[in-house]
Amino acid sequence: MAALRAAVLVLLGLCLGCAAAAVPLVIWHGMGDSCCNPQSMGYIKKIVENKIPGIYVLSLKIGSNLIQDMENSFFMNVNDQVREVCSQLAKDPHLKGGYNAMGFSQGGQFLRAVAQRCPSPPMLNLISVGGQHQGSVYGFPRCPGESSRICDWIRKTLDLGAYTQAVQEHLVQAEYWHDPLKEEDYRKNSIFLADINQERGINETYKKNLMALKKFVMVKFLNDTMVDPPISEWFGFYKSGQAKETIPLRETSLYTEDRLGLQEMDKAGKLVFLGVKGDHLHFSEEWFYSTILPFLQ
């Protein structure tokens, strides 16, 4: 009887140990925001924690305080930001077994770079909420939050020379500036987006790492006035050489040549295209619960 009791206790212990723990979540904010703004990322963190008990949520902060975090979303070289995030993730013991990632606006694009460049710890699902994956802010139509003066300066700087070395290295928005009228300048001089989109050659490691995702979810805002063109949020863009007609992902050379493995991922059912009514990053709590939360559980 004692031996039987001991065996039962061992089995119970094994079952308890096998109970499915919530997959950790890493989130990255957008331009002009910070990790812990109670009206944005702090709010997202709170509602996820309320709906998924016991989940570990890491809202990425780039810098030693919230002001630096916000400023770095404009002025810190994106490649340096990605390296910093990869270091943070590698050192976090909560993420050793893998994590889901959710990025907002440029944060979605930057987390894709993390998936391509830093496979350890493994990113399981990537949710891009309004991320500009073929580049964007062509014309920089408007500005988030209280950053209008910064954005006025950025507009002037981009107009003067988005693809000059000094601007590329020190202005975040220039690093994913994709001018369809200057495709050669973009491919040659873009230090971030042209690299992660394999515009100058094929990095097989990037391709392999991205294809390791279980799901790559892309949310497009159907009434977006911030991202130009909005179809960039689904990996589409303008037809080369003009800025009026757009083409979807499946008609781009990135897809037809399968430079990132997106065609293969698409055929395997790994790409998810979601549309939500509203302007950039405008969505309801109900929509988030019904549409996004299932990818986190």
Side-chain angles (χ1 to χ4, degrees), residues 7-83:
V8 169
L9 289 173
V10 168
L11 288 173
L12 284 173
L14 288 172
C15 289
L16 289 171
C18 291
V23 176
L25 174 64
V26 173
I27 59 180
W28 198 339
H29 63 80
M31 173 175 64
D33 202 355
S34 67
C35 67
C36 311
N37 184 333
Q39 295 183 324
S40 57
M41 295 303 98
Y43 171 73
I44 294 294
K45 183 175 187 291
K46 181 179 178 181
I47 65 174
V48 169
E49 290 171 339
N50 286 341
K51 285 292 184 179
I52 308 178
I55 190 172
Y56 173 73
V57 181
L58 172 64
S59 185
L60 293 166
K61 180 174 68 175
I62 314 299
S64 59
N65 56 58
L66 301 189
I67 298 298
Q68 283 188 2
D69 190 22
M70 184 275 288
E71 290 176 343
N72 285 336
S73 75
F74 290 108
F75 304 119
M76 182 178 177
N77 186 302
V78 181
N79 294 305
D80 293 338
Q81 291 192 54
V82 170
R83 275 190 288 270

Side-chain angles (χ1 to χ4, degrees), residues 184-229:
E184 281 304 313
D185 286 346
Y186 158 70
R187 280 191 286 270
K188 181 179 178 182
N189 298 308
S190 169
I191 66 172
F192 174 68
L193 188 67
D195 175 65
I196 66 166
N197 279 5
Q198 308 270 46
E199 299 281 5
R200 293 188 289 262
I202 305 300
N203 182 327
E204 292 294 342
T205 300
Y206 282 5
K207 186 173 179 178
K208 175 185 175 183
N209 291 343
L210 189 65
M211 290 174 63
L213 290 172
K214 294 181 178 179
K215 294 287 184 183
F216 181 6
V217 181
M218 289 168 269
V219 177
K220 174 188 170 186
F221 291 89
L222 302 179
N223 310 104
D224 205 316
T225 62
M226 178 78 178
V227 174
D228 184 3

Side-chain angles (χ1 to χ4, degrees), residues 144-254:
E146 303 300 320
S147 307
S148 60
R149 290 184 180 178
I150 293 176
C151 289
D152 286 341
W153 178 85
I154 290 174
R155 286 189 190 97
K156 294 175 183 177
T157 303
L158 290 170
D159 287 340
L160 287 172
Y163 298 122
T164 62
Q165 184 177 352
V167 174
Q168 281 288 310
E169 290 181 354
H170 300 290
L171 183 57
V172 166
Q173 288 67 43
E175 295 174 50
Y176 57 83
W177 184 265
H178 187 172
D179 188 337
L181 306 180
K182 299 179 180 177
E183 289 283 358
E184 281 304 313
D185 286 346
Y186 158 70
R187 280 191 286 270
K188 181 179 178 182
N189 298 308
S190 169
I191 66 172
F192 174 68
L193 188 67
D195 175 65
I196 66 166
N197 279 5
Q198 308 270 46
E199 299 281 5
R200 293 188 289 262
I202 305 300
N203 182 327
E204 292 294 342
T205 300
Y206 282 5
K207 186 173 179 178
K208 175 185 175 183
N209 291 343
L210 189 65
M211 290 174 63
L213 290 172
K214 294 181 178 179
K215 294 287 184 183
F216 181 6
V217 181
M218 289 168 269
V219 177
K220 174 188 170 186
F221 291 89
L222 302 179
N223 310 104
D224 205 316
T225 62
M226 178 78 178
V227 174
D228 184 3
I231 200 171
S232 181
E233 297 168 17
W234 281 348
F235 249 114
F237 201 61
Y238 289 114
K239 274 190 174 180
S240 184
Q242 49 85 60
K244 291 184 179 180
E245 186 180 354
T246 61
I247 57 174
L249 167 62
R250 294 183 180 100
E251 294 179 20
T252 65
S253 60
L254 180 68

